[in-house]
């Protein structure tokens, strides 16, 4: 059978009889299958072509039905594959594929110096067209073929001009220019045709015509090539060469790269700009070459064969063929043209012909001492003496400036400076690739910034409308990546698409071991090196990463090949092993390298977990358990709350067999800490029942820590904890920490301090920095309470060194907060404020709102003690808003209310102050609130008129806390005032009466 789609669909039986495929939808379906003749066409692409952006609910079933009817109606061999459908016909049975083959052969013939054969082949190719291509599909589908048709027509005209044709081409050229009024190549051919026909005045008039058109439509001058032709026609002599292409937009960023290129060209004769497609290599080369005296620009992208390279350079240098055709070896003629000249030759887009570009460049550099070459390529030319200048994606600042510059051209009314954070997010999602950023900015003509950001998940569809004047490979984001993809061999493509299974982002990519294990490619070093050299991968620090745009492209191919599920399973299995191997070492001297290893794989681990939650919940539960302590140390818990809730829903209300501890950890990971989830208490109660049944040493003793944080300090005092932590040194040290907190909360600081000191010794023996830091924090506090501020700072500084090594943001926030109060008690208000500010920033990083509240309350204390009550009120009110509904925030709320009361007291409003203090007392309703009640009792002493009653309250504060605060700036003045109002005996008697009081008695006063 024969098929024609270069016009209305035409199907012919082997004997030439026309066949009817049916109505519009079967015709469109057959056209789509013919475009991929002999290859699988993805089902998604077929659905998109049949139904557009809004396919019906049962589109996949409807497509299957359409294929079945078409198969039967025309007796076609349409094979269903895992990824889509394949029509089993040869390329030569379809006119569009014959056209593309003939057009390519014609182009090669012209480059090889055979214009006669070129004209015949291209004439045959163009004769296959019967009307608009793909007439049975939406107009957008025919765009690429229209471009190829125009290029074929121009190449045929070039061949006819070489054969001496002139006047006969003028009407055809005028017709083509009417359809493509901005094509400088067509104007140049018209000028040459008129000149060959003996009409030089008309040829020169054409140049004035195109100059006016370009100025009116684009605000640009004719290209250097067209200007050179104009000069040639005026003077009757060949032009010296072709300069830098004119640019229509402002150049943004790349200052460092331009300086580097200048420095490299001063000392090297071959400099190659390398980088991924769309990184801006061509534009950077243009800017670097613009101000140089003698520049020749050779664009290699349109070339399709290696033999075309020297001829393209001859054309770029202005060395033209006579009517008798080519004379002599083209490389020798290049040497003759360059001999004795100081020239910068720019070879743009060498990657698809890199071997011939390298060979030609090497010969020219060896023969022409005055020649320098600046090349752009997605891989190095590989010549001795070549200097590489990688062109990375734009950094955040220049990327945002580029986006806003290009956006201003299409939406001058948009105030993007107010949306700079969203702009940064868009640029980051697009990898900082200039081309992608420019395409995205152009979409602001019809989309808002938020709509654009929301649609970047389907970036290839979104960024599919580019500059019509650019080469097709630079017109859409897909075309840019596809150009690189076509340059890979089969083995490279196999590995590239499998690499898409690894996560993107700063902690994505893969190590060599991961690639070998997950991708199933033994000894992949050479392939990885090749993909890196071709800018498909980035290699740094022993890891191989893909830009997100390239990864998205490869992921499509992975899905098309039906490998996605298998690769995701292999990926998840590998990273389960990584987590399981690291977990036991996170609580000892080897924790730093293991934390670093898990940190480097953070995005991959999260991707593996997401996959397992849907595919294998039991395996997901184990992986989440292995990661829970890592998340806790690195402040990553909050990001995984939604996933933990999804996993818990998949598991149900009962833990899987032998996975009770893992189940409890999953419940802990569902706790957001913001108090907005009404089901949280129910989940915690269920997990408490599960944990209560574990009356033996836990396999994962850190469950005790995480459960105490989620459930409250009451858990740490339960007798079964002694059995759950086990007899290992780490568990025994942890038990002492729990006992230390128990004694602290109940007002026995001496006993508490001994437990923390013993725990510190235990953690020092294991080498666990987290444990040491969590002991040094309360030990520093006790020293501060006693007035030994130097010792307090020494202890806290050691703790800060440990958490800095761990990169633990929550513990860092705690220690900075504690150190800030020591500085506050020393009267160093400015340094204290700086510490509280840093503490708030670290707490935000760890997504711990109650500790942000604690830092804001500290800033309120600094402002109040410094006399700035208005700023203090702002900080206190912000702290109250941030306090989450959990056990820790109750204490924070009490202390914030006390701060507001002290502001009122400073403004001589004692009744209001008392009201604030009594609100704080009302919240201290349990045995674990003794410390907060101590602060409240001392605050009430400030507004108590009876000196004896004030002494009782001061004694109650000391008794509940277990010791008196030395040098506290709020308490010390009250003590001095009350002592002055009473005799020493009366004060001591009242003070001791208060010290002996229990919490309930204090609350009733």
């Amino acid at each position: 059978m024969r098929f024609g789609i270069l016009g209305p669909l035409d199907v012919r039986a082997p004997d030439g009889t026309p066949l009817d495929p049916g109505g519009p939808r079967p015709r469109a379906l057959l056209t789509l299958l013919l475009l991929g003749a002999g290859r699988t066409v993805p089902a998604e692409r077929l659905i998109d072509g049949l139904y557009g952006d809004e396919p019906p609910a049962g589109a996949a079933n409807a497509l299957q039905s359409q294929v079945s009817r078409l198969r039967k109606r025309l007796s076609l061999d349409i094979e269903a594959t895992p990824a889509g459908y394949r029509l089993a016909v040869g390329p030569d049975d379809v006119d569009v594929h014959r056209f593309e083959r003939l057009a390519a052969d014609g182009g090669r013939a012209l480059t090889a110096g055979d214009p006669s054969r070129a004209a015949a082949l291209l004439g045959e190719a163009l004769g296959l067209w019967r009307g608009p291509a793909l007439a049975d599909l939406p107009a957008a589908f025919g765009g690429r073929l229209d471009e190829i048709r125009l290029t074929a027509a121009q190449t045929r005209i070039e061949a006819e001009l070489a054969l001496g044709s002139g006047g006969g081409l003028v009407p055809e050229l005028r017709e083509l220019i009417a359809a493509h009024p901005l094509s400088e190549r067509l104007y140049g051919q018209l000028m040459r045709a008129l000149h060959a026909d003996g009409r030089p005045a008309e040829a020169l008039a054409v140049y004035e015509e195109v100059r006016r058109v370009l100025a009116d439509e684009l605000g640009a001058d004719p290209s250097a090539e067209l200007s050179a032709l104009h000069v040639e026609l005026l003077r009757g002599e060949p032009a010296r060469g072709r300069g830098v292409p004119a640019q229509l937009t402002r150049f943004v960023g790349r200052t460092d790269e331009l300086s580097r290129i200048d420095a490299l060209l001063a000392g090297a004769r071959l400099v190659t700009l390398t980088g991924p497609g769309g990184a801006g290599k061509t534009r950077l080369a243009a800017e670097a070459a613009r101000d140089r005296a003698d520049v020749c620009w050779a664009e290699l992208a349109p070339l399709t064969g290696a033999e075309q390279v020297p001829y393209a350079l001859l054309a770029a240098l202005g060395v033209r063929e006579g009517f008798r055709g080519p004379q002599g070896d083209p490389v020798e003629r290049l040497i003759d043209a360059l001999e004795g000249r100081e020239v910068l030759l720019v070879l743009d887009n060498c990657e698809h012909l890199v071997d011939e570009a390298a060979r030609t460049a090497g010969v020219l550099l060896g023969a022409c001492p005055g020649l320098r070459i600046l090349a752009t390529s997605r891989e190095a030319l590989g010549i001795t003496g070549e200097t590489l200048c990688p062109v990375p994606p734009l950094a955040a600042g220049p990327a945002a400036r580029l986006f806003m510059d290009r956006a201003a051209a299409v939406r001058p009314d948009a105030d993007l400076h107010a949306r700079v954070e969203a702009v940064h997010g868009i640029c980051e999602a697009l990898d900082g690739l200039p081309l992608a950023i420019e395409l995205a900015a152009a979409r602001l003509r019809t989309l808002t910034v938020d709509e654009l950001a929301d649609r970047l998940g389907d970036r290839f569809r979104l960024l599919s409308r580019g500059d019509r004047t650019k080469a097709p490979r630079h017109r859409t984001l897909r075309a840019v990546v596809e150009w690189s993809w076509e340059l890979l061999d089969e083995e490279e493509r196999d590995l590239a698409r499998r690499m898409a299974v690894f996560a993107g982002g700063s902690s994505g990519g893969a190590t060599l071991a991961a690639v070998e294990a997950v991708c199933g490619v033994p000894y992949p070093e050479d392939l990885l090196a090749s993909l890196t050299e071709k800018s498909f991968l980035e290699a740094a620090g022993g890891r191989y990463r893909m830009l997100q745009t390239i990864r998205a492209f490869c992921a499509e191919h992975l899905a098309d090949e039906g490998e996605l599920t298998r690769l995701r399973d292999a990926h998840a299995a590998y990273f389960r092993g990584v987590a399981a191997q690291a977990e036991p070492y996170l609580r000892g001297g080897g924790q730093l390298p293991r934390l670093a290893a898990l940190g480097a794989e953070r995005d991959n681990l999260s991707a593996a977990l997401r996959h397992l939650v849907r595919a294998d919940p039991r395996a997901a539960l184990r992986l989440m358990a292995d990661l829970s302590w890592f998340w806790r140390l690195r402040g990553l818990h909050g990001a995984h709350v939604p996933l933990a809730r999804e996993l818990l829903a998949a598991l149900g209300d009962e833990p899987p067999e032998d996975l009770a501890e893992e189940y409890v950890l999953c419940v802990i990971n569902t706790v957001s800490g913001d108090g907005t989830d009404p089901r949280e208490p129910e989940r915690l109660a269920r997990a408490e029942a599960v944990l209560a049944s574990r009356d033996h040493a836990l396999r994962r003793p850190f469950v005790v820590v995480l459960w105490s944080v989620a459930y409250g300090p009451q858990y740490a005092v339960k007798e079964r904890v002694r059995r759950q932590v086990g007899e290992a040194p780490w568990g025994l040290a942890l038990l002492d920490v729990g006992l230390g907190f128990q004694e602290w909360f109940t007002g026995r600081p001496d006993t508490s301090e001994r437990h923390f000191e013993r725990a510190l010794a235990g953690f020092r023996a294991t080498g666990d920095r987290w444990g040491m830091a969590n002991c040094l924090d309360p030990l520093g506090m006790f020293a501060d309470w006693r007035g030994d501020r130097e010792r307090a700072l020494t202890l806290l500084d050691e703790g800060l060194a440990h958490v800095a090594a761990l990169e633990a943001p929550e513990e860092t926030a705690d220690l900075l907060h504690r150190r800030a109060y020591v500085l506050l008690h020393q009267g160093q208000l400015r340094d204290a404020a700086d510490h509280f500010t840093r503490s708030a920033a670290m707490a935000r990083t760890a997504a711990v709102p109650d500790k942000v509240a604690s830092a804001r309350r500290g800033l309120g204390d600094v402002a109040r003690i410094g006399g700035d009550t208005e700023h203090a009120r702002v900080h206190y009110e912000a702290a109250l808003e941030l306090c989450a509904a959990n056990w820790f925030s109750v204490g924070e709320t009490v202390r914030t209310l006390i701060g507001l009361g002290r502001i009122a007291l400073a403004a001589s409003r004692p009744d209001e102050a008392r009201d604030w203090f009594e609100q704080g007392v009302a919240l201290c309703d349990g045995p674990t609130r003794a410390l907060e009640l101590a602060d409240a009792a001392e605050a009430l002493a400030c507004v108590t008129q009876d000196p004896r009653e004030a002494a009782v309250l001061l004694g109650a504060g000391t008794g509940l806390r277990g010791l008196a605060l030395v040098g506290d700036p709020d308490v010390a003045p009250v003590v001095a005032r009350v002592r002055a109002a009473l005799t020493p005996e009366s004060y001591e008697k009242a003070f001791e009466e208060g010290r002996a009081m229990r919490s309930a008695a204090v609350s009733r006063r």
Side-chain angles (χ1 to χ4, degrees), residues 428-429 431 459 502-510 538 543-549 551 599-604:
E428 182 181 0
D431 304 302
R459 64 188 64 199
F502 294 103
S506 59
S507 58
E538 295 176 334
R543 300 184 68 81
Y544 298 89
R545 293 185 177 89
M546 280 181 167
L547 295 177
Q548 291 283 50
T549 297
R551 182 172 170 268
E601 301 293 5
R602 193 180 84 194
D603 290 338
N604 277 311

Side-chain angles (χ1 to χ4, degrees), residues 344-416:
L344 175 64
L345 176 60
V346 182
L347 303 181
D348 191 30
N349 296 297
C350 301
E351 54 271 345
H352 63 308
L353 298 171
V354 67
D355 291 338
E356 181 58 27
R359 189 188 72 81
T360 303
V363 172
L364 294 179
L365 288 168
C368 306
L371 176 66
R372 293 192 186 301
I373 294 178
L374 178 62
T376 74
S377 179
R378 300 185 193 185
E379 64 174 304
L381 300 189
I383 302 174
T384 300
E386 177 183 29
T387 300
L388 299 182
C389 182
V391 181
L394 286 171
R401 290 199 299 275
L402 176 65
F403 182 91
M404 290 191 279
D405 181 84
R406 301 303 190 256
V410 298
R411 285 284 298 276
D413 59 324
D415 182 14
L416 294 181

Side-chain angles (χ1 to χ4, degrees), residues 146-349:
D146 291 337
E147 286 286 340
I148 299 174
R149 183 184 191 183
L150 174 60
T151 300
Q154 292 171 323
T155 307
R156 183 191 60 77
I157 290 169
E158 200 71 39
E160 298 283 359
L161 286 169
L163 291 169
S165 298
L169 296 172
V170 171
E172 180 184 359
L173 282 164
R174 284 291 186 190
E175 185 177 341
L176 285 169
I177 286 172
H180 306 280
L182 299 179
S183 172
E184 292 187 69
R185 186 181 182 189
L186 289 173
Y187 282 108
Q189 289 179 330
L190 177 58
M191 290 167 67
R192 291 165 58 199
L194 288 167
H195 191 270
D197 197 38
R199 298 148 70 181
E202 291 182 57
L204 295 173
V206 169
Y207 180 79
E208 293 303 318
E209 177 188 342
V210 67
R211 188 181 61 77
R212 287 193 303 273
V213 169
L214 293 175
D216 292 344
E217 296 296 328
L218 301 177
D221 294 326
S223 67
E225 182 177 16
L226 199 61
S227 297
L229 176 59
H230 182 232
V231 170
E232 183 180 348
L233 296 180
L234 278 172
R235 298 181 179 177
E237 61 183 29
R240 289 281 288 167
R242 193 173 125 207
V244 179
Q247 304 296 322
L248 304 181
T249 55
R250 189 166 66 94
F251 187 63
V252 177
R254 301 292 195 199
T255 304
D256 292 343
E257 287 90 340
L258 282 173
S259 298
R260 176 167 167 72
I261 293 169
D262 285 342
L264 292 175
L265 285 173
R269 295 182 58 215
L270 171 60
V271 176
T272 303
L273 308 185
T274 60
K281 299 183 294 297
T282 295
R283 183 64 188 270
L284 181 58
E287 295 299 322
R290 181 167 311 286
D291 296 329
R292 294 179 177 266
D294 195 353
V295 177
C296 176
W297 186 282
E299 168 60 77
L300 305 187
L303 308 186
T304 57
E307 70 279 0
Q308 296 174 294
V309 171
Y311 292 98
L313 300 191
L314 285 170
L317 284 164
V319 180
R320 302 186 181 278
E321 304 285 0
F323 288 138
R324 290 177 295 171
Q327 301 173 4
D329 179 80
V331 176
E332 291 298 327
R333 293 165 61 209
L334 279 171
I335 294 172
D336 290 341
L338 292 167
E339 188 176 5
R341 291 175 62 182
E342 296 284 337
V343 180
L344 175 64
L345 176 60
V346 182
L347 303 181
D348 191 30
N349 296 297

Side-chain angles (χ1 to χ4, degrees), residues 331-651:
V331 176
E332 291 298 327
R333 293 165 61 209
L334 279 171
I335 294 172
D336 290 341
L338 292 167
E339 188 176 5
R341 291 175 62 182
E342 296 284 337
V343 180
L344 175 64
L345 176 60
V346 182
L347 303 181
D348 191 30
N349 296 297
C350 301
E351 54 271 345
H352 63 308
L353 298 171
V354 67
D355 291 338
E356 181 58 27
R359 189 188 72 81
T360 303
V363 172
L364 294 179
L365 288 168
C368 306
L371 176 66
R372 293 192 186 301
I373 294 178
L374 178 62
T376 74
S377 179
R378 300 185 193 185
E379 64 174 304
L381 300 189
I383 302 174
T384 300
E386 177 183 29
T387 300
L388 299 182
C389 182
V391 181
L394 286 171
R401 290 199 299 275
L402 176 65
F403 182 91
M404 290 191 279
D405 181 84
R406 301 303 190 256
V410 298
R411 285 284 298 276
D413 59 324
D415 182 14
L416 294 181
H417 292 283
R419 302 301 315 283
V420 68
E421 187 174 341
V423 169
H424 278 295
I426 290 169
C427 295
E428 182 181 0
L430 294 173
D431 304 302
L433 290 175
L435 176 65
I437 291 169
E438 292 185 344
L439 292 171
R443 293 310 301 262
L444 290 186
R445 185 180 289 111
T446 55
L447 298 176
T448 68
V449 172
D450 291 333
E451 288 170 339
L452 176 64
D454 289 343
R455 285 162 172 75
L456 285 179
D458 193 3
R459 64 188 64 199
F460 294 118
R461 179 191 293 274
L462 179 70
L463 307 181
S464 60
R465 294 187 177 188
D467 186 342
R468 292 189 181 93
T469 67
K470 289 189 176 180
R473 66 186 183 81
H474 267 164
R475 199 168 296 172
T476 70
L477 189 61
R478 180 181 296 280
V480 170
V481 185
E482 207 154 45
W483 173 264
S484 295
W485 178 261
E486 294 299 328
L487 301 179
L488 304 181
D489 63 31
E490 200 61 38
E491 283 187 314
E492 291 167 341
R493 290 182 192 178
D494 286 346
L495 181 56
R497 71 168 179 268
R498 292 173 188 172
M499 287 286 292
V501 77
F502 294 103
S506 59
S507 58
T511 62
L512 179 63
V515 173
E516 188 169 8
V518 175
C519 298
V521 178
Y523 310 109
E525 296 90 335
D526 290 344
L527 284 175
L528 289 169
S530 180
L531 288 171
T532 302
E533 289 165 2
K534 294 180 178 181
S535 301
F536 234 77
L537 294 176
E538 295 176 334
R543 300 184 68 81
Y544 298 89
R545 293 185 177 89
M546 280 181 167
L547 295 177
Q548 291 283 50
T549 297
I550 294 176
R551 182 172 170 268
F553 180 88
C554 291
E556 288 184 358
H557 282 269
L558 188 63
D560 289 348
E561 293 296 326
E563 293 183 307
L564 187 57
T565 299
R566 178 178 65 80
L567 265 293
R568 281 181 174 170
D569 288 344
H571 176 272
Y574 177 81
F575 286 102
R576 273 185 59 198
V578 168
Q581 186 179 31
E583 190 276 327
Y585 295 93
L586 297 180
R587 299 180 297 282
Q591 62 192 171
L592 290 185
R594 300 294 176 158
L595 282 169
L598 292 177
E601 301 293 5
R602 193 180 84 194
D603 290 338
N604 277 311
L605 290 164
S606 295
L609 182 59
R610 282 193 299 273
H611 172 65
L612 290 173
V613 166
R614 283 98 175 176
D616 187 349
R618 284 180 61 92
L621 192 60
R622 291 190 180 94
L623 177 56
M624 181 173 285
D626 287 333
L627 293 174
S628 292
W629 191 241
F630 164 64
W631 292 343
R632 172 65 178 77
L633 292 177
R634 286 291 170 87
L636 303 173
H637 157 75
H640 298 89
V641 168
L643 200 58
R645 290 176 179 173
E646 184 181 346
L647 176 56
L648 197 63
L651 293 167

